[in-house]
Every structure is written in C-alpha cells, then in structure tokens.
Amino acid sequence: MTSKLLEVKGLHKSFPLKNSLFQQKRFVHAVNGVTLELNEGETIGIVGESGCGKSTTGRCILRLIEPTSGEIIFQGKDITKIRKQEMKRFRRDIQMVFQNPMDSMNPKLTVAEIITEPLIAHSIPKEHRYRILKETMELVGLSESQLNRYPHEFSGGQRQRIGIARAITLRPKIVILDEPVSALDVSVQSQILNLLQDLQEELGLSYIFISHDLGVVEHIAHKVGVMYLGELVEFADKDQLFTEPLHPYTKALISAIPKSDPDEVKERIILQGELPSPANPPAGCKFHPRCAHANETCMSLNPILTDVNGRKVACHLYQE
Amino acid sequence: MANISKTLESLEMQTTLVKKQPSSLKLNFLKEIGSNKRARYSLFFLLLVILIGVFAPLLAPHDPEKPYYEALLHGPSKEHLLGTDSIGRDLLSRLLYGIRATLTAASIAVAITFTIGTFIGLISAYIGGIIDNILMRIMDVLLALPTIVLALAIVAILGPSLANAMIAVGFASIPGFARITRGAALTIKSSGFVEASRSIGSSHSWILLRQFLPNIGGVLLVYTTLFIGVAILDTAALSFIGLGAQPPTPEWGTMLAEGKNYIYQAWWLATFPGLAITSVVFSVNFLGDALRDMFDPKSMGR
C-alpha cells in the first residue's frame, strides 16, 4: 500500500501584466487550479504545450515562485503557509533538476563544489560530505576523477548527471524534474531516463516529471496529468491515458506521437488554430475554440475536473 | 544496480569523446595575460614602477626632502638628472619617492570603491524591489555630480591631507562602481544556477559569495583596473589644488602644483611629474582595456 506523500490542491498562480496607469490591473493565470496527488515511489508526468504552466507548477511546489493561492500539503503540512525560513527544512526533501544543465550550474564551480552545495546548505557535517559525494557520483555514474572538472568540460548527458547528482545528494523524497531530457540527444535521453528509474528504485524517490514529450513520459511515468492553458484537463494512470484518452486535447496529443510501425493505420487529430494567449483565454472551456466536439455549453461554462471511471477529466462530454 | 553499471559502461564511451582540458581556470587566466601583448607590456611596466617605488631609498640619488641651497631651480644636469625645484630638492628623487604616495593613495581609494561599491551593487541587484530603487536613486543623485566635485566636498568636510584625499576619491567613485556591479549582477540573478541554489535552500550569503562573485569577478577586475587610473588622476588633482598631500611629502600632484608657479623659468618642474602621471595612468588604462578584451571578446577594438 503506497502512502500519499504530496498533495497539491487548487494551485493558482497569476502574474500581473505590465499595465498602463489608467487601465484595470490584468493578470495572466499561468496555473489555474491544478490538483495533484503524489504517492511514495511514484512518478507523475505532467505534459502540455509550451506555456501551459507546467514548469510554473513545478516551481510553485518548491516555492521558487510564490503560488497565489492553493494548498501544497507535504507530510501533512501545508507548505504554502509556512514562513520562508521554515521552508528550508522542506527543501531538503524536495529537490529539483532543471532543463538546461549548462544554465543551471555555475560555470566557475567544480563538479565537486556543485554537488556538495546542498550538503553545505543543509549543514551536513564536513566529515560526511566527501563520503556522500563519492556515493552520489557513483550512483549517477560519474567517476571520481571528474570531481575537479568544470561543467563546460562535460557532454550534455554527463552534465545532466551532475544536475541529478546535485538533486539527490541530500537523499530527498521528491525530485521535481523540469524537462530533464529535453535538451539531450535521443540516445542520451534514454540513458538518463534509465538512470532516473534506477535511482527511483534504489533510493525510493518520487518524481514529478515535467515534459512536453509524451513518448518520454510514457516511458517513465506511472500517472500522467495533461495541462492546457494553466489547467489540468486530464489526470489518469499512464496505461489508461495512453490506450484510451478521454479529453479531446489528450486524444489529439496522443494521436501526434510518431508510431514505430509504418503500416499501422492511424487517425491523426490535427488541432485547428493557435494556442490562445494565456493573458486573454477564451471563455468557458479554454479548449473549445480548437475542439471538434465543442457545443454551446463548452463556450460558456468551464468544465471542472471530475472523476470518470476512476480517472479525472475536465470535459463536458463526460459530465452528466 | 545492474542497470547502473550498464549506463556506466556507455558513459565511459562518452567520456573519451569529451575533450581533455586543463582544469584550473586561474592558471588559464595567468596564461592568457601572458599571451596578450598589451596586457603583458602594461603589467610589466606597472610592476616595474611599483618595484621602483618600493626600492626608492636604494635608487634615489638624493634625499627627496633635503634642499640643496646652492642649486635652486637648476635644470637637468649630471648631479641632478631631472633638475631641482625652487628650494633645491632633487626632482628625480622626489619623483621616485612620489610613486609611493601616489600609488598607495590610488590603491586605497580603489579598495574603498571596490568594497563598498561591490557591496551596494550586489545587494541592490540581489534584493531588488524597493531597496534596489532607493539605493540606485541615491547613486543617480551622486552620479549627477562630477567625481572631483564630490571628492572636493568630502575633503572640505574631512580637511586636507593625503589620507582624506584618498578616502574622498574612494567614496566619490562608489556610485559608478556600484552601478556597474549591479548591472553585472543582474545578468547572474536571472541565470538558472541562482534559481537552482534557491531551490536547494542555500543561504543568501552563500549564493552571493559562491554564485555571484566568481561570475562577475572578471568584470569587476576590469573596472577596478580602470578605476585605478581615475583614482590616480583624482588624487593628483586634489593634491594639485592643495587638498591632498601636503608639502613637503613628495606626491606627483603636489609636485605638479609646485611646478606650475615656475612654468616659464623651470619647465622640468611641471613636465616630469606630468609625464609620470600620464605614463602610469596610460598603462593602467591599457591594462584595463586588455583585460576587458580578454573577458569580453565582443568589445574587442572598441
């Protein structure tokens, strides 16, 4: 029986727009009521187009961006309510791996310095640091001889290993992976994904895996959430979602995954129109201008995420 | 575990593809200075000047403060290579000893500028918001005054002496330096590794010292060098108008001021201190330019 580790309830984040003096203040709702549950040892994949708020969601969980409203319950405590100083205690258990390993590492620090930063930040005694550093390097497949090198001396895949090493030195419970393999070659991608899966087994990690690549998410995630314009439109077990997507947007996304079998006849759902501006989202269901099944209700009423056969979907087609 | 060792194998294949480079950034930096002609020559000249200043007692032919009453306002001769001043002091000896006062004053002034300017700039960029606004508006107001006027005002409060002049020059340059630091720090602030540090939970001082400083160090070094040139000029200027080094201390600015009274009778009195100031400032600026090119190849030849 797996236990609930992290619960995100109705997470909102809006950014104020630069407004002129006499205009009413306007906001971009980057994340709009996202609700997630993460169990121990589980991986949640969050997918969606660029700008749909998936990275913002990840950053809000760590309070790198302060959420506007909503609850993030970790170990029974709502971490959006605690003070910033107290937050440090929770950072030890929730770490993050960033998309661009070159940008997320200080070019002037050595690999050893980068990986030990979390140990120093959380005052791990000096005598343990080297041992932990060595163990971690081994876990991610880096050799000790590379300790005193600088990030620019590594290939993209190795750099991401350093990024992962930094995230797991404190042996956290949750790692938020923000597009960890998007900047890598396909061959290196699978190595990193395998590494992540091995680490999950070995250290009992839970992942929140943010990606725009459905293939990658299918490989690593147990549950998948699909986001569209800041809203979670579907949340289901991976197998359910990939074999029988419910939301029209999910259907379109999944039909766009390239198939390895050229003879397989596949109906492609091609979305019409552009992604609307998040500053000026359409009324009602945000997906209705691009949806083939849209009716009048969709234009006026925004569907809420509801349980449909043990999974969650936000679409009027399934609400009766 | 089996999987990990498999990924390890494939990793070893990758490793061989990565170019082996010498790991020490500091060593590379020294090498680069050595390979840059302009940097090499100007650095060599400056080191020479500093050495001469340090060994002035050994090199100077006469006591810089001893008047030779039989040789008042004598032009360059065998006995007095660069001539003597109005009370018969040996100009060459005074110039050599003057290196000490001039360069010490400039270094201390720049040290003040660097420490406080970097602090204000970093804090301003890092905290942002209202603090940034307040600090930068204060700097803007101070920037609206010419440095030398600001320095004048500070000396007027503290009283004329070489020590006060360098404090004044040091403080007067802070606004400019703080702005440069802030600009450089802002680019670092938006970088991914600062965000990563925050997500890890590192302390603010750690982020500032380990993430910001190493990355803006190059820019700061360049401007510190350039500010040394300005500081030499400003201290000399304050001394020239009598607010810096007091006679009989040999200081280039003071010597220049003494020389101007005899500009028609004794050209050497103003010329040689002037040349000394010019050549040192020139090579400091040259070094600064060369350093800037090294750190930012894009500005090459500007």
Side-chain angles (χ1 to χ4, degrees):
Chain A
M1 182 66 201
T2 49
S3 60
K4 208 185 287 171
L5 193 58
L6 180 86
E7 221 184 329
V8 179
K9 282 188 196 162
L11 188 73
H12 277 264
K13 175 67 200 178
S14 48
F15 294 103
L17 279 175
K18 279 255 153 74
N19 51 311
S20 62
L21 194 55
F22 301 106
Q23 237 170 16
Q24 209 189 345
K25 225 182 179 145
R26 295 201 309 153
F27 291 95
V28 180
H29 297 279
V31 178
N32 213 341
V34 167
T35 299
L36 292 171
E37 263 181 46
L38 180 63
N39 294 327
E40 242 165 65
E42 192 181 61
T43 303
I44 292 184
I46 300 180
V47 292
E49 288 167 83
S50 331
C52 72
K54 36 187 210 300
S55 290
T56 311
T57 307
R59 282 170 166 73
C60 278
I61 294 173
L62 267 174
R63 283 181 69 188
L64 286 175
I65 299 172
E66 290 293 327
T68 313
S69 66
E71 289 172 35
I72 298 163
I73 296 157
F74 176 69
Q75 292 180 329
K77 205 162 181 185
D78 183 358
I79 57 176
T80 56
K81 302 282 189 298
I82 58 177
R83 288 184 307 143
K84 277 202 167 168
Q85 288 93 317
E86 265 180 90
M87 186 64 201
K88 190 169 170 182
R89 204 155 52 84
F90 292 96
R91 293 199 191 280
R92 194 174 168 156
D93 289 325
I94 311 176
Q95 292 280 320
M96 187 154 181
V97 174
F98 294 86
Q99 171 173 14
N100 183 347
M102 198 66 227
D103 182 52
S104 69
M105 281 172 218
N106 188 336
K108 299 285 165 79
L109 296 184
T110 62
V111 171
E113 288 172 311
I114 289 169
I115 301 178
T116 39
E117 180 183 343
L119 302 177
I120 297 167
H122 292 273
S123 350
I124 306 291
K126 262 202 181 114
E127 58 267 28
H128 297 316
R129 282 184 205 157
Y130 188 68
R131 182 181 50 80
I132 298 174
L133 172 68
K134 251 175 61 181
E135 279 175 15
T136 312
M137 294 279 280
E138 207 170 297
L139 276 173
V140 299
L142 291 167
S143 75
E144 231 184 304
S145 60
Q146 294 164 320
L147 275 177
N148 292 317
R149 303 250 201 119
Y150 291 89
H152 69 93
E153 297 173 42
F154 290 87
S155 65
Q158 283 177 309
R159 257 180 236 146
Q160 199 53 289
R161 282 172 201 270
I162 302 169
I164 293 168
R166 175 171 63 181
I168 63 165
T169 34
L170 288 168
R171 305 290 182 267
K173 297 196 169 61
I174 301 173
V175 179
I176 297 172
L177 302 147
D178 186 7
E179 307 244 13
V181 295
S182 307
L184 306 175
D185 290 347
V186 180
S187 59
V188 184
Q189 273 190 5
S190 57
Q191 285 179 14
I192 297 290
L193 289 177
N194 287 337
L195 172 69
L196 287 171
Q197 281 178 325
D198 293 343
L199 289 173
Q200 178 162 48
E201 240 169 73
E202 205 145 320
L203 304 174
L205 301 170
S206 305
Y207 292 142
I208 295 179
F209 192 99
I210 298 163
S211 179
H212 62 261
D213 187 335
L214 280 162
V216 166
V217 169
E218 187 177 12
H219 184 75
I220 196 163
H222 301 113
K223 290 179 185 165
V224 181
V226 181
M227 282 184 76
Y228 185 77
L229 276 181
E231 287 177 8
L232 202 63
V233 293
E234 186 161 1
F235 187 69
D237 282 347
K238 175 187 71 178
D239 296 329
Q240 283 181 325
L241 190 103
F242 280 91
T243 48
E244 199 208 338
L246 293 184
H247 197 280
Y249 179 61
T250 318
K251 281 182 185 165
L253 284 183
I254 286 172
S255 79
I257 302 176
K259 289 285 166 206
S260 47
D261 182 3
D263 295 331
E264 192 179 338
V265 187
K266 185 94 210 294
E267 197 193 337
R268 272 273 167 99
I269 306 169
I270 295 168
L271 287 182
Q272 301 298 314
E274 289 286 311
L275 183 73
S277 157
N280 190 17
C285 173
K286 287 181 179 174
F287 186 61
H288 84 259
R290 301 170 81 186
C291 181
H293 310 282
N295 55 34
E296 270 159 44
T297 344
C298 301
M299 287 178 213
S300 53
L301 199 67
N302 196 7
I304 40 169
L305 203 66
T306 39
D307 283 317
V308 176
N309 306 330
R311 46 202 284 197
K312 288 173 176 162
V313 64
C315 179
H316 290 301
L317 290 177
Y318 305 95
Q319 287 177 353
E320 230 85 39
Chain B
M1 213 46 211
N3 273 332
I4 290 184
S5 61
K6 216 185 286 167
T7 38
L8 249 172
E9 269 172 37
S10 55
L11 184 87
E12 267 159 21
M13 280 162 57
Q14 276 183 42
T15 324
T16 47
L17 294 175
V18 179
K19 215 170 63 187
K20 292 244 158 62
Q21 283 171 311
S23 265
S24 170
L25 284 177
K26 278 166 202 137
L27 210 81
N28 281 351
F29 176 65
L30 285 179
K31 258 188 208 157
E32 228 177 307
I33 286 193
S35 65
N36 184 311
K37 234 189 209 168
R38 291 193 293 160
R40 197 170 60 221
Y41 288 145
S42 45
L43 199 62
F44 177 75
F45 178 76
L46 286 173
L47 286 176
L48 192 72
V49 171
I50 291 169
L51 279 180
I52 292 174
V54 171
F55 293 109
L58 298 175
L59 296 168
H62 299 280
D63 183 340
E65 290 180 18
K66 187 186 170 205
Y68 291 87
Y69 293 114
E70 70 284 0
L72 299 179
L73 287 178
H74 274 199
S77 65
K78 242 185 214 157
E79 182 56 25
H80 302 285
L81 280 176
L82 297 180
T84 58
D85 66 6
S86 59
I87 51 172
R89 290 174 300 194
D90 181 58
L91 192 64
L92 177 62
S93 308
R94 287 180 67 71
L95 266 186
L96 297 189
Y97 273 92
I99 294 173
R100 295 175 157 195
T102 309
L103 289 191
T104 315
S107 317
I108 293 177
V110 167
I112 293 172
T113 311
F114 178 84
T115 323
I116 303 179
T118 305
F119 182 77
I120 293 179
L122 271 183
I123 293 297
S124 194
Y126 186 67
I127 299 177
I130 299 176
I131 303 279
D132 180 32
N133 251 322
I134 293 173
L135 282 175
M136 281 306 120
R137 290 304 81 72
I138 296 173
M139 295 298 125
D140 282 344
V141 170
L142 294 177
L143 271 177
L145 298 167
T147 331
I148 196 73
V149 176
L150 198 55
L152 262 177
I154 298 172
V155 175
I157 298 167
L158 298 175
S161 81
L162 187 59
N164 289 344
M166 60 202 190
I167 293 172
V169 170
F171 273 93
S173 306
I174 287 173
F177 202 84
R179 276 215 154 260
I180 291 162
T181 312
R182 175 178 173 271
L186 279 180
T187 61
I188 304 299
K189 191 189 183 185
S190 58
S191 75
F193 53 82
V194 171
E195 188 183 31
S197 256
R198 290 207 296 132
S199 82
I200 284 164
S202 290
S203 64
H204 296 306
S205 56
W206 203 92
I207 293 177
L208 284 174
L209 286 176
R210 301 304 316 251
Q211 308 282 31
F212 277 82
L213 269 189
N215 283 292
I216 59 172
V219 181
L220 294 188
L221 180 67
V222 169
Y223 282 97
T224 307
T225 317
L226 292 173
F227 270 69
I228 290 177
V230 178
I232 293 174
L233 285 179
D234 284 351
T235 345
L238 281 181
S239 297
F240 182 81
I241 51 178
L243 294 176
Q246 299 302 307
T249 320
E251 200 276 340
W252 292 350
T254 324
M255 290 164 67
L256 203 60
E258 286 162 7
K260 81 168 191 297
N261 300 330
Y262 302 95
I263 195 90
Y264 296 111
Q265 299 102 306
W267 56 270
W268 56 90
L269 276 186
T271 309
F272 292 118
L275 276 179
I277 293 172
T278 312
S279 57
V280 169
V281 172
F282 181 74
S283 55
V284 168
N285 286 346
F286 219 59
L287 179 65
D289 267 347
L291 287 177
R292 193 181 56 197
D293 289 348
M294 279 162 49
F295 283 109
D296 179 18
K298 274 177 277 175
S299 73
M300 189 80 88
R302 219 184 271 164

